[in-house]
């Protein structure tokens, strides 16, 4: 069973990701992990923090001579900004530390500030926002890069693109090759495969900049080369669509998820929504008329590309703050503002890739198991033969 966890505060010493349950022998390239971290930091509309940080992974356990050894993998990413917070967020309390805190007493609507303060009984939301911040997604992306390395050994790749920023939406289907080309770019504007649409998206971000506002959007994650048969229809919690939905909605600021063409499907008749089944005798394989199901039927992958979308609300930290209440005085007050991103859709797409890769790697290892990559390969080859002989 592949498990992963993250720890770390936004302005603490570092972020940490651990992964346990990986087979031995997966090749791990630090450059590839760092490239994923770089991709997460890009995009027009990111805030001042991204100018401070150059996220770099330090793998401190579970990888030796560039391969996993079957032991838990642990990855550190140091926060450069920590040097500005050593006195505000010390691990050990000391005399005078109370005066050096940076309390947040005017909770931001839409952030975890108020709900978290009530739940943990803090009259200062600082500790809540430190962990709720999307900075945590750095650790998810590092873990996801390791999951991607496993999947790549079996020809499975996971990429993303921006479908919408605010009300500007890409209005055409996307080819896998376009996503592959997008992922190799060294300059990222808003993560759209279509340059004209991307410029219209930029205008929306510019409008948000001008007015001290923020803007959300939609990202799409596509997994390519996925075999039929991951996940199961048999129990509610083994259905892969449900597991992917949980993974996507768990990303900060994501409020909705769509599998395949779910929204269009809900507004159409059944005859227009299902992907018809055909058989190619020459290649001895089943084919489909379309991929509206997003590669999932009955909670099982069906061998088509897996397609899931995340619907991202606008970031809740606004330069022109919204109405709130001061936790100490209970008087009306404007919400706290330190700094923030204006648009994070392309970055959220990279985080979405990581989450999809982790869920797919879990489902893959559930089905094929193996303590070494060679064992997993044998199990996978046997299954592929079974599907071929069907
Ligand atoms: C983020 C780092 C954070 C925020 C952002 C994401 O850094 P800071 O709080 O120091 O500016 O820029 O967090 C949020 C969007 C949020 O709502 O907290 C990052 O590394 O992605």
């Amino acid at each position: 069973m592949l498990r992963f966890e993250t720890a770390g505060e936004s302005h603490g010493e570092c972020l940490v990701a651990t992964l346990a349950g990986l087979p031995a022998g997966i090749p791990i390239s630090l450059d590839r992990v760092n490239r994923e971290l770089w991709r997460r930091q890009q995009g027009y509309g990111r805030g001042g923090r991204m100018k401070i940080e150059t996220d770099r992974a330090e793998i401190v356990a579970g990888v030796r001579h560039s391969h996993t050894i079957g032991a838990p993998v642990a990855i550190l990413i140091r926060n450069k900004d920590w040097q500005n917070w050593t006195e505000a967020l010390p691990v050990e309390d000391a005399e005078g530390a109370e005066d050096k805190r940076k309390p947040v007493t005017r909770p931001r609507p839409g952030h975890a500030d108020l709900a978290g303060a009530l739940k943990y009984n803090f009259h200062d939301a600082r500790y809540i926002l430190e962990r709720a911040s999307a900075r945590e997604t750095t650790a998810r992306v590092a873990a996801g890069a390791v999951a991607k390395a496993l999947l790549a050994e079996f020809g499975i790749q996971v990429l993303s693109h921006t479908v919408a920023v605010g009300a500007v939406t890409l209005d055409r289907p996307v080819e896998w090759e376009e996503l592959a080309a997008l992922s190799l770019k060294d300059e990222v504007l808003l993560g759209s495969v279509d340059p004209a649409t991307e410029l219209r998206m930029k205008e929306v971000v510019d409008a948000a900049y001008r007015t001290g506002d923020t803007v959300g959007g939609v990202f799409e994650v596509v997994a390519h080369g996925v075999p039929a048969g991951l996940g199961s229809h048999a129990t509610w919690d083994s259905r892969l669509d449900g597991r992917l939905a949980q993974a996507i909605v768990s990303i900060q600021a994501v409020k909705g998820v769509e599998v395949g063409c779910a929204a269009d499907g809900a507004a159409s008749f059944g005859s227009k929504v299902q992907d018809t089944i055909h058989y190619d005798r020459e290649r001895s394989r089943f084919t489909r008329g379309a991929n509206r199901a997003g590669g999932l039927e009955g909670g099982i992958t069906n061998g088509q590309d897996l397609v899931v979308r995340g619907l991202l609300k606008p970031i809740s930290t606004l330069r022109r703050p919204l109405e709130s209440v001061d936790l100490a005085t209970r008087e009306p007050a404007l919400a706290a503002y330190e700094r923030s991103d204006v648009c994070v859709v392309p970055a959220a797409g990279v985080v979405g890739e990581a989450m999809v890769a982790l869920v797919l790697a879990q489902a893959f290892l559930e089905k094929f198991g193996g303590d070494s990559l060679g064992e997993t390969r044998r199990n996978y080859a046997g299954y592929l033969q079974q599907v071929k002989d069907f």
Side-chain angles (χ1 to χ4, degrees):
M1 173 71 177
L2 172 63
R3 305 187 304 281
F4 93 98
E5 289 191 354
T6 73
E9 284 83 52
S10 183
H11 305 104
E13 294 84 332
C14 58
L15 298 152
V16 182
T18 59
L19 295 104
L22 289 164
I26 306 166
I28 301 294
S29 149
L30 203 48
D31 282 349
R32 290 232 175 102
V33 179
N34 285 333
R35 169 78 187 177
E36 295 295 288
L37 294 179
W38 177 86
R39 291 179 63 224
R40 194 204 72 93
Q41 289 200 273
Q42 304 311 301
Y44 186 68
R46 302 243 45 200
R49 181 72 184 273
M50 292 305 101
K51 295 194 178 75
I52 299 175
E53 306 293 345
T54 309
D55 292 330
R56 288 265 178 278
E58 293 170 42
I59 301 178
V60 295
V63 176
R64 301 292 156 191
H65 301 103
S66 302
H67 291 79
T68 56
I69 59 168
V73 172
I75 309 175
L76 291 186
I77 305 109
R78 290 182 202 276
N79 284 322
K80 283 199 184 143
D81 206 18
W82 160 243
Q83 65 191 34
N84 303 315
W85 291 79
T86 51
E87 294 191 322
L89 289 171
V91 172
E92 285 201 279
D93 214 357
E95 206 154 315
E98 193 58 31
D99 306 333
K100 292 178 179 144
R101 283 173 183 249
K102 297 186 188 177
V104 175
T105 58
R106 291 169 289 126
R108 293 160 294 173
H111 218 286
D113 300 350
L114 179 58
L118 291 169
K119 176 176 167 66
Y120 289 90
N121 201 20
F122 292 136
H123 290 244
D124 160 8
R126 169 59 63 194
Y127 295 153
I128 302 300
L129 70 94
E130 284 295 328
R131 182 63 188 155
S133 165
R135 179 97 193 115
E136 183 261 345
T137 61
T138 312
R140 298 197 202 197
V141 169
V146 174
K148 281 187 172 188
L150 166 74
L151 296 172
E153 291 301 303
F154 299 92
I156 304 168
Q157 288 167 280
V158 186
L159 290 172
S160 67
H161 69 112
T162 298
V163 170
V165 171
V168 175
T169 304
L170 180 75
D171 57 3
R172 65 168 177 85
V174 170
E175 300 293 327
W176 173 256
E177 290 68 30
E178 290 181 286
L179 298 192
L182 191 68
S183 73
L184 297 175
K185 279 172 76 171
D186 285 326
E187 267 176 50
V188 179
L189 188 61
L190 282 157
S192 171
V193 295
D194 187 83
T197 307
E198 197 167 46
L199 286 179
R200 287 170 50 227
M201 290 173 170
K202 180 175 177 289
E203 284 168 19
V204 180
V205 181
D206 283 331
Y209 266 121
R210 276 195 300 277
T211 52
D213 219 320
T214 58
V215 64
V218 179
F219 62 83
E220 181 171 88
V221 180
V222 181
H224 189 64
V226 182
L230 300 185
S232 169
H233 65 292
T235 55
W236 72 268
D237 54 350
S238 58
R239 284 181 173 254
L240 200 65
D241 41 11
R243 293 161 67 183
L244 287 163
Q246 201 264 330
I248 293 289
V249 178
S250 76
I251 299 169
Q252 289 81 342
V254 171
K255 295 295 271 186
V257 62
E258 184 179 16
V259 178
C261 302
D264 280 351
S268 308
F269 287 108
S271 56
K272 303 274 181 270
V273 170
Q274 319 306 336
D275 304 321
T276 50
I277 300 173
H278 310 274
Y279 192 71
D280 180 341
R281 289 202 178 275
E282 258 171 42
R283 289 156 70 208
S284 305
R285 51 175 282 197
F286 293 96
T287 63
R288 311 302 292 257
N291 184 17
R292 299 186 193 97
L296 285 154
E297 289 172 307
I300 312 172
T301 56
N302 64 10
Q304 302 227 76
D305 278 0
L306 194 139
V307 185
V308 288
R309 292 177 169 194
L311 282 65
L312 202 67
K313 72 173 178 177
I315 297 283
S316 48
T317 314
L318 299 183
R319 185 155 50 83
R320 247 191 14 204
L322 297 174
E323 285 173 39
S324 182
V325 168
D326 192 290
L327 294 179
T329 64
R330 311 294 158 106
E331 292 295 327
L334 291 177
Y337 178 78
E338 279 161 9
R339 68 180 163 221
S340 179
D341 305 86
V342 168
C343 174
V344 293
V345 184
V350 176
V351 180
E353 292 173 30
M355 294 309 291
V356 168
L358 285 156
V359 171
L360 278 182
Q362 275 167 342
F364 193 89
L365 290 175
E366 268 163 32
K367 181 150 175 61
F368 303 112
D371 293 311
S372 68
L373 195 59
E375 189 180 359
T376 312
R377 271 194 212 293
R378 282 198 303 278
N379 298 343
Y380 189 51
Y383 174 71
L384 289 186
Q385 192 61 45
Q386 173 195 306
V387 172
K388 205 168 163 219
D389 297 344
F390 177 84

